[in-house]
Amino acid sequence: MTSLPIKRIVLYKHGVGYFERRGTLSGDVLTLSFPLSAMDDVLKSLVVIDRSGQVRNIDFATPEDRTSLLTRGSIHLSDQRSLLDLLRDLRGRTIRLTLTGKQGETVIGQVVGVDVEDERPLRQALVSLYLSEERAVRPIVLKEIVRIELVDDKAHDDLTFFLRAAQNDERNRTATVHLTPGEHDLLIGYVAPAPAWRVSYRLLFEESADGASRCFLQGWGLFDNQLEEDLIDVEVTLVAGQPVSFRYRLYEPQTPDRPFLQDRPRPQPKLATRMRAMVADMAEPEHFTDDVGLLAAASPSPAVTIDTLTESVRSVAIGEDQGALFAYRVTQPVSVGRGQSAMAPIVGTQLSAQRELVYNRRRLERHPLAALRVVNETGLTLEQGPTTVLINGEYAGESVLPFTRIGAQFVIFHAVELGVTVTEATHQTRYLSGIRLHESDLLLDEYLLIFQEYTIISSLVTPCTVMIEHQRTEQTELIDTPSPLREDGQLACWAVRVPANGQMIFTVCERRLLSRRQTISSLTGEQLQNFLRDKVLDDRTFQRLKGVINLFHQIEAARQTMKQHEAEQKRIVERQQQLRQKIEPLRNDGEEGMLRQRYIASLAQLEDQLERLDTAIAEQQAVIQKLTAQVERRLRRLHE
């Protein structure tokens, strides 16, 4: 553990904290301990400032776990037979043994091995040493050995490595700061994972007999000490907002893959380049929904008032605007034991507020919500948090105070007013507002009217005002409706006064302009009369359109006559084909000759009829051309 205590912490809402250690140190080495999970963040952010010396370097423990460290060493000691395991792993190493007896005989040699009796391993075990000068192996009973010295430097290093690895805490890792010799005045800062701090509010609203009201907001910041040390007299800052933060792998060594090449007589293949990308996932702040509580009955003698609460608990935080962030700096030092949590009052201000009954079907159907509309006059940015509402000293419900900037309004919906019921009815209608000429068509402008009717029924013994929040329809304008009290985007609000034990009907009318196209030729006389009646056409335009429509009707009649003539032509041609088929097999003399002559006479008559029909069709075509020219001239005059 470090000898430098934590003197300052800054906690954020997204799972990290800034920790600052300060103090003096005598020597040239400082050891810091961090949770394993924090090492990436610590290595990314660690700052060491020596005000009276210099920082040489910082080294940190290997990221390997204890098992991996022990496996890499040449010495492996169990928990039950560590001495025997040590002598076994020292095979081939030179050691000096001190034996029992008055003289304290010492023996130097290389370890050959250990022979063990399983029933009495410590008393019957024999350690065999090779005495190189005598070229002899000497067995020594283990119980006679009182001291073992490692003459071999490598054996000393291996045992030291094992012991250091064995004491390694699986949960923590160390970083060692190497300094110049002497006295040091140090400041060490770093970022590490930390529980997000929270905030909870108490909103007190009081009304006097003369109708005057006042409101008091109290906020408490809550934070946790999950460090492995007590926090004593620490400066605490709680930051609202969402700074960008991410994890970056720094602690674990990364060895890039390299291609393996072999000597071949053929040309070497091309090497592929591997690229790695880091994706930093930013978690969005949580979204809260308002909880609706029940309004408690008013008490004639409130136990909790704004005055008593203000006197008993005073805010100990100063607000500091930091651009996109906002900090609550707790002015009094805070002490929190390891594994404990703390609360500090960070807000305590009287605010401007008013009570409202707000109806919005998207929040709750049939009943309005009791609400407090408050202006943030605290001089602080308010972080989102749960809020307990007290009205005239009594519990009135709960809600969630939204993230609110300085000077902005926020609304606390805390209860359901069951004494007021609101029902809605919607209907639509259209009416023609104007007609415009476009070439040979009419553009008809129509208004779509959307009526939203709110019926408010109150069983309260006193009059009340209900704020109707209406979601405006896109691309519409209000008509025959009072101007809204306030608008926020597409949400418009009206105040409707409702008498005691009475009802009121409030209607919102919205209008949208629509246009459709209709050909003049498709108009009927009845439609024209309706246009004239609805005053969307003046009498002059009506008379001109009436003449054009008559021409269209004459053109249509001519076309119908042409269709009749063409149908008659088709019937005659079919009759002629039948007669020709009958004439073909007949002879020219006798009765067949007479019949043949009669059929030929009929063919001649049919041919005369075809010529007359051709003439009639040509005449109708001429009529249509003439009428069409008149229509074009009159349409041009309509646009003049």
Side-chain angles (χ1 to χ4, degrees), residues 501-568:
N501 293 308
Q503 81 171 36
M504 284 291 293
I505 297 178
F506 180 76
T507 302
V508 178
C509 180
E510 297 173 299
R511 184 174 71 176
R512 177 190 295 169
L513 181 62
L514 306 174
S515 296
R516 61 184 177 88
R517 183 186 296 267
Q518 184 173 352
T519 59
I520 296 176
S521 59
S522 66
L523 293 175
T524 64
E526 182 180 359
Q527 286 179 306
L528 275 180
Q529 291 294 339
N530 292 337
F531 294 161
L532 184 64
R533 180 199 62 200
D534 296 336
K535 298 182 180 180
V536 294
L537 280 180
D538 55 35
D539 187 66
R540 179 171 175 271
T541 304
F542 170 80
Q543 295 298 333
R544 290 185 175 183
L545 279 178
K546 185 176 180 181
V548 172
I549 292 174
N550 287 335
L551 292 176
F552 275 123
H553 289 170
Q554 294 177 36
I555 292 173
E556 183 61 26
R559 288 175 177 168
Q560 292 298 326
T561 301
M562 285 179 59
K563 288 182 179 180
Q564 293 175 0
H565 292 335
E566 290 170 350
E568 181 65 18

Side-chain angles (χ1 to χ4, degrees), residues 121-132:
L122 294 180
R123 298 187 64 84
Q124 299 298 327
L126 293 176
V127 179
S128 299
L129 291 186
Y130 176 64
L131 309 179
S132 59

